[in-house]
Amino acid sequence: MLIMLSLSLSLSLSDYRDSRAFNEKVLLDTGVVECELAIKIGVCGSKPAAAERRASSSSSTREAAQRRLSLSNTAPSTGVVANNNNNTSPITTTTTTTTDDKKMKALFKSGKITPADIVRQTRDLLVLADRPPSTDTKDSKREEKMAELSKNLREMKGILYGNSESEPVADNCAQLTQEFFRENTLRLLIKGLPKLNLEARKDATQVVANLQRQQVHSRLIACDYLEANIDLMDVLVAGYEQTDMALHYGAMLRECIRHQSVAKYVLESPHMKKFFDYIQYPNFDIAADAAATFKELLTRHKSTVAEFLSKNYDWFFAEFNSKLLESSNYITRRQAIKLLGDILLDRSNSAVMTRYVSSRDNLRILMNLLRESSKSIQIEAFHVFKLFAANQNKPPDIVSILVANRSKLLRLFAEFKLDKEDEAFELDKAKVVKEIVSLEPRDRQ
């Protein structure tokens, strides 16, 4: 009996062990199958719910499933992902290359340079260009460097002005400006300008022009640099004497004299007298450019101009009258009489105006300009002449000239009409006529 009981118990334990082993195998295989299925549908990031619930009955089964799942996650595989429309599209379960990764790679990509780097490279290339050609340096190598310099200038212009696709970036402009004026890049560029090709000269001119307006921390650092290197203005003014460079240097000069301290230097320098000759150059483009700079010097900074004219009245207007107003060149006369009106009609120059309209020589010149065949010159001359007539403290010799020529003047003004009606002009003309009619001769003092 005991033997039969023992045998029955042994068989039961054996069956139990076989049954348990079978169940563990089934659970393990089921977990693996479900894990593989989870991988195929793209959700293998966590343990399958079914496998987790069944594996809870056995620690060995759970560990085995985890090991297999870990191996499955590390191995890249291509599966399919289902969308809301039950369509499928192939994806790769390995997604380490993200958009952010691409941005970071682009940020640190070799060859990417900053605006400051471009300026530094440009400065080095300008130093190289300034050196005399070496016998050891091949012409092709030097040409390559000059081409690189031209490219840098073009890139600098693009940063400062933007392009058709994007506006300038303020931070990039500030970086470029700071580095440009940190060292003598401007001096090197001005000095090396003749060695550049035409397009590079144009780009360089536009870069210099733009930099005069760039503010860094609310300050025009270009002005600080120019005040410390004011001799560069001598180079730019003298540039009008170089036919190939005159327009480039002239454009740079006009932008530099936007700074009042720089304009004051040029006004008070010996170069100022040279403009009376530059304006009469036979080359029309150079003469017109010099005239534009001359006008900018005499009209932009009111207080500085008034001070200059007061201190230099005699020689300045002697040159102005003889070389410009009485020039044989029609364009020169027309530009000069227009500029004279702008100067004298400015309130800041009231003291200069009073002195000018008290001179009989000046009156004689203006009366001759009133007789010009050009309507443009006549109109501009009238705007200056009316100041002589409106002066309530006319010197006796001025009154005598006006009285002696009264009939001629009245006849001239009667026929003097504009192509288009202008009420202000007609009103001014009526006042001048009335003043001339009322004049009485005075004894000269």
Side-chain angles (χ1 to χ4, degrees), residues 17-281:
R17 285 194 298 270
D18 292 341
S19 175
R20 181 177 179 182
F22 174 79
N23 289 336
E24 288 178 351
K25 184 176 185 304
V26 169
L27 288 174
L28 180 59
D29 291 344
T30 302
V32 171
V33 169
E34 290 185 358
C35 179
E36 291 176 348
L37 178 62
I39 293 173
K40 288 184 179 181
I41 64 172
V43 292
C44 62
S46 61
K47 288 189 283 187
E52 184 176 0
R53 288 194 301 270
R54 295 177 182 178
S56 61
S57 64
S58 174
S59 60
S60 61
T61 302
R62 185 163 54 249
E63 291 173 357
Q66 288 176 343
R67 284 196 299 272
R68 297 200 178 199
L69 181 60
S70 175
L71 290 173
S72 299
N73 280 332
T74 57
S77 62
T78 302
V80 294
V81 60
N83 58 23
N84 293 334
N85 298 324
N86 295 324
N87 296 326
T88 58
S89 58
I91 71 164
T92 301
T93 58
T94 304
T95 56
T96 55
T97 304
T98 64
T99 303
D100 290 339
D101 294 332
K102 293 178 180 178
K103 289 182 179 178
M104 292 300 292
K105 288 181 180 180
L107 180 64
F108 295 103
K109 184 173 64 175
S110 60
K112 182 178 178 63
I113 61 176
T114 66
D117 292 332
I118 296 176
V119 176
R120 283 190 285 269
Q121 290 179 5
T122 302
R123 187 161 52 235
D124 294 340
L125 291 169
L126 286 169
V127 171
L128 181 64
D130 188 47
R131 296 173 183 168
S134 173
T135 54
D136 299 332
T137 304
K138 296 182 179 179
D139 290 341
S140 59
K141 187 70 172 178
R142 186 175 181 85
E143 290 178 1
E144 180 182 336
K145 293 298 182 182
M146 295 303 292
E148 185 177 351
L149 176 56
S150 298
K151 178 187 174 189
N152 281 6
L153 290 170
R154 187 164 57 252
E155 290 181 356
M156 290 168 64
K157 184 181 75 171
I159 292 171
L160 294 171
Y161 288 91
N163 52 47
S164 59
E165 299 178 356
S166 62
E167 294 292 324
V169 179
D171 185 56
N172 290 343
C173 292
Q175 288 184 43
L176 193 154
T177 304
Q178 282 183 303
E179 185 61 36
F180 192 92
F181 292 110
R182 192 186 307 279
E183 297 186 31
N184 280 332
T185 308
L186 179 59
R187 182 179 294 276
L188 290 168
L189 187 57
I190 291 175
K191 186 177 180 181
L193 200 65
K195 299 179 181 179
L196 303 178
N197 61 45
L198 180 59
E199 290 303 316
R201 291 175 189 173
K202 292 179 180 179
D203 291 339
T205 301
Q206 293 182 58
V207 167
V208 172
N210 187 286
L211 288 173
Q212 306 310 311
R213 310 171 190 224
Q214 290 290 339
Q215 293 190 14
V216 178
H217 304 305
S218 302
R219 186 174 182 82
L220 293 169
I221 63 174
C223 181
D224 299 334
Y225 177 86
L226 290 175
E227 287 177 354
N229 298 270
I230 200 65
D231 61 294
L232 288 177
M233 297 304 101
D234 301 335
V235 179
L236 294 181
V237 174
Y240 280 116
E241 298 171 14
Q242 304 177 46
T243 304
D244 294 339
M245 304 305 302
L247 300 183
H248 303 296
Y249 282 142
M252 288 184 182
L253 178 60
R254 275 193 301 282
E255 292 299 325
C256 290
I257 60 178
R258 293 173 61 88
H259 311 299
Q260 190 163 359
S261 57
V262 178
K264 180 178 175 67
Y265 170 81
V266 177
L267 283 169
E268 296 178 350
S269 72
H271 298 298
M272 194 60 190
K273 293 183 178 181
K274 296 179 181 179
F275 277 95
F276 294 105
D277 297 322
Y278 296 155
I279 292 173
Q280 299 183 81
Y281 265 14

